[in-house]
Amino acid sequence: MSGRLRGTTVLLAIGALLTSASATNNVGGNDEGGGLRRKRTTDKKQQQHRRLTEADGVDQELASRFFLPSKAQAELDEIDMRELLFQMNVEMNLEMSMSFITTPAPTKAPTPSPTQSTDAPSISTMPTLTNCDSPGTCQNRLRDQIFAVSVRMGTTEALDDPNSPQSQARDWILEECDATIPIDPCTASQLILNEQRYGLAVMYYGLGGDSWNAGANPSQDAAAGPGQWMSGLNYCEWGAEITGTGGSFKQLVCDDLGNVLNLNLQSNNMVGQIPPEIGVFFAMTSYISFFNAQSGPLPSTLGYILPLETFDVESNNLDGPLFQPEYAGPDGLKEIVNFRASLNNFVGTIPAEIGQWTKTQNLWFADNQITGTIPTEIGSLAEMGAFLFYKNKISGTIPPGIGNLNKLTWIDCEENQIVGTLPEEFYSNLELEEVILKSNSISGSVSSKVGDLSKLGTFWVSFNQLSATIPSTFGNLANLQELELQSNRLTGTIPSEFGTMGSIDFISLESNLLTGTIPTELFGTNLGGLRILYLNDNQLTGTIPSNYGSSPRLKDLWLSDNLLTGTLPIISEGEFLFLEELLINNNDITGVVDESVCLVRNNTIPGGQLGVFHADCQPPPNGGQPQIQCSCCTACFV
């Protein structure tokens, strides 16, 4: 069934509601709400007519009354029923009795609806399957309402399977007819709320509710207290209060009218598929269920939840297409702010219609199997702050439109198949703080405009095919902490301007084609936070700077596999207190390693932290003296 509801398929579930609303708001007779239109075809109408007339409890006469012929039917066919459901619930509550307002959520004994005026159609004038005063009314009406929900959600066949979540939820809710305070299936104000009670029950059965970490009610004890699902309480009281290291939250939150507003089921041992019945929560703004074991595809009925702002299913076992047209197509959702689906098994491509998610701030679908290219329409997401799609199979180039994302602070596309150059427009995103583009096939150069990104803290472009020289404008980046340029084809010298990157912690330039000498500016208190410096596997020449021991926090210094000459400089007392790894092998360094260096080994008293010390201290195979004489090296090379 398409993401756009048809007027006649939903009429059975909200028939009474439509009549009441049309008398006061004229909702059913026009489309002034601005919803997109889609007409039902004759064949579809006849098919739906057959499905309803063949169902138990719905006779031919009643079905004919639901399928309004003539002009009334044509008008309903043009209504965007998703929008209608949402607006009706809001607008009708302005007209509902005070008794409903004071008891907004579904209860076992809701206050009866007030007597309606004679000039407005009463509920009984709409087609109903039974008379609300007749015996058996409760169960019959609930069955019919649940069937109507199943038609909309595409799960009618599941009702015939006694082991399905839908069948179990139906049987459970039917038992509430015989409760001490029975459920009310007849009052107009309760119809949509009953649907949501049923939808929550389907989710409980479908996602292994009996084994949940919080909210479980294995015996479905109707007398269970707040914080336990499937009790006889108002379902708005089912949500458990959760307190953790990240703060406190409630599993289930309702709005003032009793509609499900937020579901936060994170880290709750949920196992199974998210059921299509999630679509009945038409007022929901947030669904969060990361760190669970949900599986299977996402239900296309997400497209029914028009106000949905946050959808977070990270770290599950979900699969199937990630971006389905029902919620990510031309008529899809428009209010999405946070869409997080990383660490699953999703497939498919990024649709061009993603450009309609103009309110999106976080778009995360890392570590999946998404293919295709980044659509140019991504440039329409002007509110986006974080774009994470690492570890997928996305190919093609980064579109120039990426430069329109003026609020972007974090982009991570590591381990994809992206090619081409990094567009100049990319450097227009002046709010960028974290850029991770490593492990792709990006070519060209790093633009000197990188120096304009004054807020940049992380810049990882390693394991690509970048060439040309390293821009000296990196020296402008006073907030830069991590710089990864290794495993590219970079040439030229190491800019001395690196010495002004006062916040730097990690520099990796290894495995390039760099030449020239090692700048003395890389050492000293000007880079007091520098811990990691990898310059190995290049073509660097000259001697090791004599001030190399003056970096107060240096932990790893890799200078191996270059063309360095001279001797290893001595160090002063108090230097290299934190040094753990020193690699100078595979160079042309000669002489004797000074005792001052050996004193910072971790096997001396008082000693230091140096546990890995590689040098060319192995005698040549044909005999003779080693290139370096070292009494404290941990590994010797020829």
Side-chain angles (χ1 to χ4, degrees):
M1 188 174 180
S2 74
R4 181 68 55 180
L5 285 177
R6 309 297 202 262
T8 50
T9 55
V10 75
L11 196 55
L12 181 59
I14 62 170
L17 210 52
L18 270 170
T19 301
S20 178
S22 63
T24 56
N25 299 320
N26 195 25
V27 174
N30 57 57
D31 62 351
E32 292 179 355
L36 296 174
R37 302 179 180 183
R38 177 179 281 181
K39 291 187 177 180
R40 171 192 294 282
T41 65
T42 303
D43 290 343
K44 186 68 175 179
K45 184 188 299 182
Q46 293 174 347
Q47 177 186 5
Q48 200 67 288
H49 184 274
R50 286 195 299 270
R51 293 180 70 180
L52 288 175
T53 55
E54 291 169 0
D56 293 338
V58 183
D59 61 22
Q60 181 71 32
E61 178 183 359
L62 177 58
S64 297
R65 294 175 67 188
F66 271 104
F67 284 84
L68 305 175
S70 69
K71 181 180 179 181
Q73 178 63 62
E75 291 174 344
L76 279 174
D77 283 339
E78 294 194 0
I79 295 176
D80 177 349
M81 294 305 292
R82 295 187 307 171
E83 185 70 30
L84 178 62
L85 274 169
F86 180 68
Q87 291 184 1
M88 280 176 52
N89 196 54
V90 174
E91 294 175 7
M92 281 195 62
N93 278 288
L94 298 178
E95 303 293 333
M96 286 292 177
S97 68
M98 290 303 296
S99 62
F100 176 53
I101 294 175
T102 56
T103 310
T107 63
K108 291 302 185 66
T111 304
S113 295
T115 304
Q116 300 194 24
S117 62
T118 57
D119 57 347
S122 65
I123 293 174
S124 61
T125 63
M126 270 308 279
T128 55
L129 304 188
T130 57
N131 187 310
C132 280
D133 294 326
S134 302
T137 289
C138 180
Q139 291 194 352
N140 289 337
R141 287 184 65 87
L142 284 175
R143 284 193 184 95
D144 297 329
Q145 187 175 1
I146 290 169
F147 180 80
V149 171
S150 298
V151 169
R152 300 205 315 273
M153 303 299 131
T155 56
T156 53
E157 293 183 1
L159 293 176
D160 296 327
D161 178 1
N163 297 316
S164 72
Q166 290 80 5
S167 179
Q168 290 175 294
R170 177 197 58 195
D171 294 345
W172 171 80
I173 205 168
L174 289 178
E175 292 179 359
E176 295 203 313
C177 288
D178 299 323
T180 304
I181 305 176
I183 193 170
D184 176 10
C186 295
T187 303
S189 62
Q190 296 296 309
L191 296 184
I192 291 179
L193 303 182
N194 287 347
E195 287 190 6
Q196 294 176 67
R197 191 174 184 88
Y198 169 71
L200 291 170
V202 174
M203 292 195 69
Y204 182 88
Y205 287 113
L207 292 168
D210 286 350
S211 299
W212 287 359
N213 295 331
N217 185 2
S219 62
Q220 280 81 67
D221 180 10
Q228 291 180 275
W229 288 46
M230 311 304 287
S231 73
L233 295 174
N234 180 322
Y235 62 71
C236 295
E237 299 184 47
W238 287 0
E241 292 278 357
I242 310 296
T243 300
T245 55
S248 300
F249 64 91
K250 195 171 184 179
Q251 276 188 330
L252 191 162
V253 177
C254 293
D255 63 18
D256 291 340
L257 306 176
N259 299 304
V260 174
L261 187 66
N262 300 326
L263 282 175
N264 190 335
L265 301 168
Q266 60 178 281
S267 305
N268 202 38
N269 196 35
M270 293 167 61
V271 179
Q273 295 192 22
I274 302 173
E277 282 74 11
I278 193 175
V280 303
F281 309 132
F282 69 93
M284 186 165 65
T285 62
S286 177
Y287 178 77
I288 299 173
S289 60
F290 58 80
F291 293 151
N292 281 291
Q294 296 168 113
S295 58
L298 295 179
S300 61
T301 52
L302 287 176
Y304 296 164
I305 312 175
L306 291 178
L308 190 62
E309 297 177 2
T310 294
F311 184 73
D312 189 340
V313 291
E314 287 198 303
S315 300
N316 279 279
N317 298 317
L318 297 161
D319 56 32
L322 176 58
F323 299 104
Q324 299 182 43
E326 288 82 0
Y327 54 84
D331 297 336
L333 302 176
K334 302 294 192 299
E335 303 297 322
I336 288 291
V337 175
N338 304 297
F339 188 84
R340 304 186 182 103
S342 301
L343 299 159
N344 282 286
N345 300 300
F346 289 118
V347 297
T349 60
I350 310 171
E353 289 81 6
I354 200 74
Q356 297 182 131
W357 286 10
T358 56
K359 297 182 180 181
T360 299
Q361 297 176 12
N362 293 286
L363 182 57
W364 304 1
F365 51 92
D367 206 346
N368 282 287
Q369 300 176 45
I370 306 300
T371 56
T373 61
I374 304 171
T376 58
E377 290 80 2
I378 202 73
S380 298
L381 277 59
E383 298 295 319
M384 186 154 64
F387 185 25
L388 312 183
F389 56 100
Y390 60 86
K391 291 188 178 180
N392 277 285
K393 299 178 181 179
I394 294 172
S395 57
T397 61
I398 296 177
I402 201 83
N404 298 332
L405 309 183
N406 295 324
K407 295 184 179 180
L408 188 67
T409 63
W410 183 11
I411 181 171
D412 189 340
C413 63
E414 178 181 354
E415 291 190 40
N416 277 281
Q417 300 167 15
I418 295 173
V419 298
T421 61
L422 196 58
E424 286 289 300
E425 292 84 354
F426 179 83
Y427 302 96
S428 299
N429 298 316
L430 300 182
E431 298 298 315
L432 277 170
E433 298 176 6
E434 189 162 347
V435 173
I436 301 177
L437 311 177
K438 65 186 295 185
S439 301
N440 282 282
S441 296
I442 299 172
S443 57
S445 62
V446 177
S447 172
S448 61
K449 288 185 178 180
V450 70
D452 297 336
L453 305 178
S454 60
K455 298 182 180 181
L456 197 62
T458 299
F459 191 75
W460 292 0
V461 292
S462 53
F463 298 97
N464 277 288
Q465 299 176 19
L466 294 169
S467 56
T469 60
I470 301 174
S472 61
T473 51
F474 272 110
N476 299 341
L477 305 180
N479 294 304
L480 189 63
Q481 297 178 17
E482 298 183 6
L483 176 61
E484 279 196 13
L485 299 175
Q486 76 267 24
S487 299
N488 279 288
R489 301 171 182 173
L490 297 171
T491 58
T493 61
I494 301 172
S496 61
E497 288 81 359
F498 273 20
T500 60
M501 298 188 300
S503 299
I504 199 69
D505 172 84
F506 181 104
I507 299 176
S508 180
L509 307 180
E510 63 181 297
S511 301
N512 278 288
L513 303 172
L514 299 173
T515 57
T517 60
I518 300 173
T520 59
E521 289 83 358
L522 289 178
F523 307 100
T525 56
N526 55 313
L527 300 185
L530 182 62
R531 295 184 314 109
I532 308 295
L533 180 59
Y534 296 154
L535 305 179
N536 55 295
D537 195 15
N538 279 285
Q539 299 172 17
L540 299 174
T541 57
T543 62
I544 297 175
S546 59
N547 68 334
Y548 80 125
S550 62
S551 296
R553 306 293 296 179
L554 196 61
K555 175 176 174 286
D556 291 355
L557 177 58
W558 293 6
L559 305 175
S560 58
D561 296 286
N562 279 289
L563 303 173
L564 299 173
T565 57
T567 60
L568 186 66
I570 64 174
I571 63 172
S572 301
E573 184 177 357
E575 293 184 333
F576 277 164
L577 294 180
F578 299 97
L579 190 69
E580 295 180 7
E581 297 183 10
L582 175 60
L583 310 184
I584 61 172
N585 56 290
N586 296 330
N587 280 288
D588 293 326
I589 299 172
T590 59
V592 179
V593 173
D594 189 78
E595 184 68 14
S596 63
V597 177
C598 290
L599 288 175
V600 297
R601 275 293 317 275
N602 61 356
N603 62 348
T604 62
I605 299 175
Q609 306 295 324
L610 184 60
V612 177
F613 185 12
H614 296 178
D616 296 323
C617 49
Q618 178 72 33
N622 57 355
Q625 293 296 314
Q627 187 172 309
I628 294 179
Q629 296 182 34
C630 180
S631 61
C632 57
C633 289
T634 61
C636 289
F637 296 79
V638 177

